[in-house]
Amino acid sequence: MENLNRVLLVYSGGLDTSICIPLMRQEYGYQEIVTVTVDVGQDPKDILQAAEKAKILGTRHFTVDAKEEFIKDFCWTSLKANGDYQGYPMSTSIARPLIAKKAAEIAKNLGIKAFAHGCTGKGNDQYRIEFGIRVLLPEAVIHAPVRERNMTRSWEIEYAIKNHVPIQQSLEKIWSIDENLWGRSIEGGRLEEPDFQPPEEIFQWTKSQESSLSSPQNLNLRFESGEPVELNGEKLSPAKLVIKLNEIAGQHGIGRIDIMEDRMMGLKVRENYECPAATVLLKAHKALENLVLTREEIRFKAIIDQEWSRLAYEGLWWDPLKQNLEAFIEATQKRVTGAVQLKLFKGVVTVQGRTSDWALYSEDLASFDTTTFDQRESTGSVKNFGLQSRMFEQLKNKKGM
Ligand code: ARG
């Protein structure tokens, strides 16, 4: 049953989304607020805190555990595409469509058509969240109060105090943090200055190079059809594997990323990330692909992967081009089955070996020590190699260019 007096707020428990609750009542005229927090692996304390605040602020609150779905359907899809945008594994980007999907599912069940979210007008998330909701519920009405009212942080704080919104934790926070199992992003404060050296306190999942474990650790990862299935011989569910690998790789200081990033609307921003598991998995996956795919597939797939990553960064999860690219990617991944051995040490992950039944490598052909490959047969092809380039060089000399 449709009820026009109800609105579903995509809720993190932070300042932006918390002030949306009284705002929805006072300024937007809704009587009932439903809040939804999607657990994609953020700090469990934040999830609990969101539920507590929702209770204080009198909403009907839902917490949805989407961790396994996030890794299986979103992170693994991205891994198969070697998902990367300007050096960033897109942890925040690929969680937004899932958050939108879960919000849309709950809204559908409750017969709610109105949504609200706390995104500002400067970032990428507004595009990702709104696209995700609209693609699944075309008739959705979506409010973005922070953007619509061009709010400043000080206005938000004042409004929160006036309306008894608990904000103590928000006041203590210097950094703006977004977390899920694929990575942790830290922005804001002086980090916005491209030449400000990130202080050690912003990192929570990774040790610094100096304080990371003093001896290296070997790791064995098994993949089936492009998806990680085993860590050091132990079969693990997708989310459990990532949680464990985040811990292991974080101890070795792996996965710190500091980049200048071009946001969708053209803003260049400084971003810091911690993505230990994603960093290791991306490296291992690529190593296995390089063993089993043909040279032509590897070259062409790099182009496909880059296009896929751009669409994923923009949150166009249900775009037809993206789905068509995935059809190609999936076809290549059938053979990405095998194991990769890695070494973790002092912020660096090194590939040490790879095996697969689908390896296109032949020791007999590549070795320096066999005669299966008759070297003499290469003579003609070497002689004709670079024919056009050589002709061009001669022409240049002749014409005195
Ligand atoms: N720039 C990244 C992205 O658009 C991450 C943004 C994360 N947000 C945050 N409040 N830290 O995907």
Side-chain angles (χ1 to χ4, degrees):
M1 227 196 337
E2 197 174 327
N3 185 336
L4 292 174
N5 282 321
R6 290 186 299 166
V7 63
L8 185 149
L9 170 66
V10 183
Y11 190 54
S12 70
L15 176 64
D16 290 332
T17 49
S18 292
I19 60 156
C20 285
I21 297 172
L23 263 168
M24 282 297 122
R25 295 199 179 101
Q26 293 168 9
E27 312 272 332
Y28 289 74
Y30 288 99
Q31 281 164 3
E32 198 192 322
I33 324 284
V34 172
T35 43
V36 177
T37 302
V38 182
D39 178 359
V40 279
Q42 59 273 53
D43 191 334
K45 282 198 284 285
D46 291 345
I47 306 225
L48 282 179
Q49 227 168 63
E52 277 163 21
K53 277 195 192 175
K55 198 168 172 195
I56 294 170
L57 296 167
T59 73
R60 179 172 175 200
H61 185 70
F62 293 85
T63 304
V64 188
D65 181 353
K67 291 194 285 290
E68 290 291 350
E69 183 176 353
F70 177 52
I71 299 297
K72 177 96 187 78
D73 295 347
F74 291 77
C75 302
W76 282 179
T77 307
S78 188
L79 180 62
K80 290 187 249 187
N82 298 307
D84 172 281
Y85 178 80
Q86 298 184 334
Y88 156 50
M90 303 192 291
S91 37
T92 296
S93 332
I94 60 174
R96 299 314 185 189
L98 175 58
I99 293 171
K101 180 179 169 214
K102 291 292 160 200
E105 277 171 15
I106 292 181
K108 226 176 199 163
N109 284 340
L110 299 175
I112 297 178
K113 293 230 167 88
F115 292 80
H117 61 75
C119 299
T120 71
K122 285 187 184 173
N124 298 325
D125 287 336
Q126 50 182 336
Y127 294 95
R128 299 168 179 151
I129 299 255
E130 292 199 23
F131 168 78
I133 293 173
R134 286 200 180 94
V135 78
L136 301 168
L137 276 182
E139 68 280 20
V141 174
I142 306 178
H143 307 291
V146 178
R147 178 184 73 209
E148 283 156 16
R149 286 157 194 247
N150 206 13
M151 287 176 194
T152 59
R153 193 174 143 88
S154 36
W155 187 92
E156 289 182 39
I157 291 171
E158 208 176 297
Y159 182 83
I161 293 169
K162 240 188 270 163
N163 290 280
H164 314 289
V165 176
I167 54 161
Q168 198 44 43
Q169 293 96 355
S170 307
L171 290 180
E172 285 159 13
K173 272 186 192 150
I174 311 172
W175 320 109
S176 158
I177 288 159
D178 182 67
E179 265 177 8
N180 63 54
L181 294 180
W182 209 231
R184 182 166 178 273
S185 113
I186 316 106
E187 308 180 311
R190 287 202 66 191
L191 283 174
E192 284 167 5
E193 302 165 31
D195 61 348
F196 176 73
Q197 192 184 327
E200 208 38 48
E201 62 164 273
I202 70 165
F203 301 109
Q204 255 170 39
W205 293 6
T206 56
K207 291 232 159 94
S208 69
Q209 214 164 19
E210 292 80 0
S211 68
S212 68
L213 298 185
S214 53
S215 43
Q217 184 169 353
N218 292 327
L219 211 71
N220 195 327
L221 274 168
R222 245 195 83 71
F223 287 81
E224 254 165 47
S225 303
E227 300 183 1
V229 288
E230 257 180 52
L231 175 59
N232 291 335
E234 189 185 358
K235 267 206 164 40
L236 291 166
S237 75
K240 293 213 171 82
L241 190 142
V242 171
I243 291 169
K244 193 155 191 186
L245 190 52
N246 268 330
E247 269 167 36
I248 298 175
Q251 293 288 315
H252 288 280
I254 286 159
R256 289 191 180 183
I257 300 164
D258 181 345
I259 52 166
M260 292 308 297
E261 182 176 310
D262 291 294
R263 278 196 193 155
M264 287 168 65
M265 53 177 57
L267 278 180
K268 234 182 228 308
V269 288
R270 197 275 187 83
E271 294 280 0
N272 278 275
Y273 300 103
E274 294 183 279
C275 306
T279 302
V280 173
L281 291 172
L282 283 162
K283 184 118 188 194
H285 177 262
K286 198 88 220 278
L288 197 53
E289 279 193 336
N290 286 347
L291 178 67
V292 302
L293 300 184
T294 65
R295 170 172 69 175
E296 299 307 320
E297 283 176 309
I298 291 167
R299 185 188 56 78
F300 187 65
K301 187 168 180 292
I303 302 168
I304 300 294
D305 289 349
Q306 204 183 3
E307 279 302 302
W308 186 92
S309 295
R310 191 183 53 82
L311 293 163
Y313 182 75
E314 300 198 343
L316 292 169
W317 199 262
W318 293 275
D319 174 88
L321 173 60
K322 179 174 162 294
Q323 288 166 6
N324 294 334
L325 299 179
E326 279 162 16
F328 168 82
I329 293 168
E330 274 302 318
T332 63
Q333 297 302 294
K334 293 202 178 87
R335 288 173 283 146
V336 186
T337 293
V340 183
Q341 292 78 49
L342 305 127
K343 182 175 83 176
L344 314 181
F345 189 50
K346 291 286 169 200
V348 183
V349 48
T350 319
V351 175
Q352 298 207 298
R354 65 293 268 160
T355 49
S356 170
D357 290 346
W358 291 98
L360 293 178
Y361 169 79
S362 153
E363 193 174 350
D364 192 36
L365 283 177
S367 166
F368 287 112
D369 230 6
T370 64
T371 49
T372 321
F373 190 120
D374 187 338
Q375 297 177 52
R376 286 164 295 195
E377 283 170 0
S378 297
T379 308
S381 101
V382 172
K383 197 168 174 193
N384 288 315
F385 181 67
L387 180 64
Q388 297 186 353
S389 322
R390 285 191 277 121
M391 284 171 76
F392 172 69
E393 202 56 29
Q394 277 173 18
L395 270 175
K396 256 182 17 186
N397 290 340
K398 202 163 121 193
K399 299 211 179 276
M401 270 167 77

